[in-house]
Structure formats: structure tokens, C-alpha cells
Amino acid sequence: MREIEAAARKVFTQRGFAGASIAEIAAEAGVAEGTIYKFFDTKRDLVIKVLETWYRGMMDEFHAHLPGIAGARNKVRYIVWQHLRSLRDNPDLARLCWNEVRNSGDYYQTSIYGLNRQYTRVLVEACRDGVASGEFRPNLPISIVRDLIFGGVDHHISSF
């Protein structure tokens, strides 16, 4: 299954969702086309899996490094830096996520939406910790901070 996912990531990021075919992904993975359908019902299910893996990797980075960072401001800096780094290192996945999932009519029903909420919650928790410790002002509009950071970056990358 890992070979299929790696092949799908390569083909999707090179050709886009619409330009990719299951036959091409199967050839890249070195498996028969029918093998892919043993694991994924549709091409969309496969692209969702590729993006889930990307999100989980970003979350793993947060969980691995945030506990060792002192102070809410430093945690927020790290979260923003890590987010920007991931987008810089994976513009193809950012484009795929933005164009094929985040702008689709069913986005709010996808696992990517749930992962995005978990991902942004990391920043929200760092801000809450900052308020609780007195590092941030008590009336900090945390949801606005979240939206300014992630929404601003989303706006910028939407032109990828």
C-alpha cells in the first residue's frame, strides 16, 4: 500500500488530480490497476489518503518539537515557521490540497477538514496557554489570530 501511496503522490503532484490516471499510478507503483482498487474505491479516495499522510506528518512534527519549546510566543513562532516550511517544501501538495479538496463542495465532509481543524488547534492551544500564563493579554481574540495566520497564508498560496 505504501508503494501505491508514494506513486500516487508522485503522479498527482506532477500531473494534478485531473491529469492523473489510476493506470499511470499503478504503472508507477509497479502493480496492476486492479490492485489499487483493492485499497481505494476511487481516485479521489487515493488523493485524500495522500493528503492525510501529509497532514499527519505535519502534526507529528508539532508533537515532536512543541513540548521542548518554552513559552507560548516561541511555540507560536515555531508553529508558523513549521507551517511555512512545510508549504515551501511541499508546494505541490499544498496546491493539490487547495485545488482538489479545500475548494470542493464536500470539503466539510472530508477527513482533510477534520485534520485541518486538529492542525490549527495546535496554534489555538499555544495561544490559550499564553493567555493562561499571562504571556498574552487575557482578551486575545484567539480565533482571529488563528484565522489571520492560517487564512493569510492560505490566501497567499492560493495563487500557486
Side-chain angles (χ1 to χ4, degrees):
M1 175 132 123
R2 288 180 200 217
E3 295 83 12
I4 293 170
E5 188 179 340
R9 178 179 174 156
K10 181 177 180 183
V11 173
F12 284 138
T13 57
Q14 288 176 346
R15 302 183 48 77
F17 180 77
S21 70
I22 293 294
E24 187 176 6
I25 293 166
E28 181 68 34
V31 300
E33 204 173 324
T35 303
I36 292 178
Y37 289 109
K38 285 183 175 181
F39 300 102
F40 303 97
D41 291 336
T42 66
K43 184 169 77 166
R44 180 146 170 85
D45 291 341
L46 186 50
V47 78
I48 293 289
K49 177 63 175 167
V50 166
L51 295 172
E52 284 174 351
T53 299
W54 179 46
Y55 263 94
R56 287 196 171 95
M58 292 186 295
M59 293 292 294
D60 289 347
E61 287 291 320
F62 285 157
H63 294 305
H65 294 97
L66 281 173
I69 297 173
R73 287 184 200 280
N74 291 330
K75 287 182 180 187
V76 169
R77 281 188 196 102
Y78 175 77
I79 292 164
V80 171
W81 176 82
Q82 182 62 34
H83 181 64
L84 292 172
R85 190 184 105 193
S86 183
L87 295 174
R88 181 203 65 202
D89 292 350
N90 302 284
D92 48 358
L93 290 174
R95 183 180 319 108
L96 190 64
C97 188
W98 182 262
N99 292 334
E100 302 304 331
V101 179
R102 302 265 321 261
N103 283 326
S104 68
D106 68 343
Y107 170 63
Y108 295 104
Q109 288 76 47
T110 67
S111 59
I112 300 301
Y113 172 70
L115 287 168
N116 190 52
R117 289 184 52 87
Q118 289 175 29
Y119 183 79
T120 59
R121 194 173 304 125
V122 173
L123 176 75
V124 168
E125 292 303 319
C127 289
R128 284 185 181 146
D129 290 347
V131 169
S133 71
E135 197 171 344
F136 296 154
R137 67 178 203 228
N139 63 343
L140 179 73
I142 294 172
S143 63
I144 293 175
V145 170
R146 177 203 61 214
D147 293 349
L148 284 171
I149 291 172
F150 292 116
V153 170
D154 279 357
H155 176 73
H156 181 69
I157 68 164
S158 66
S159 64
F160 276 11

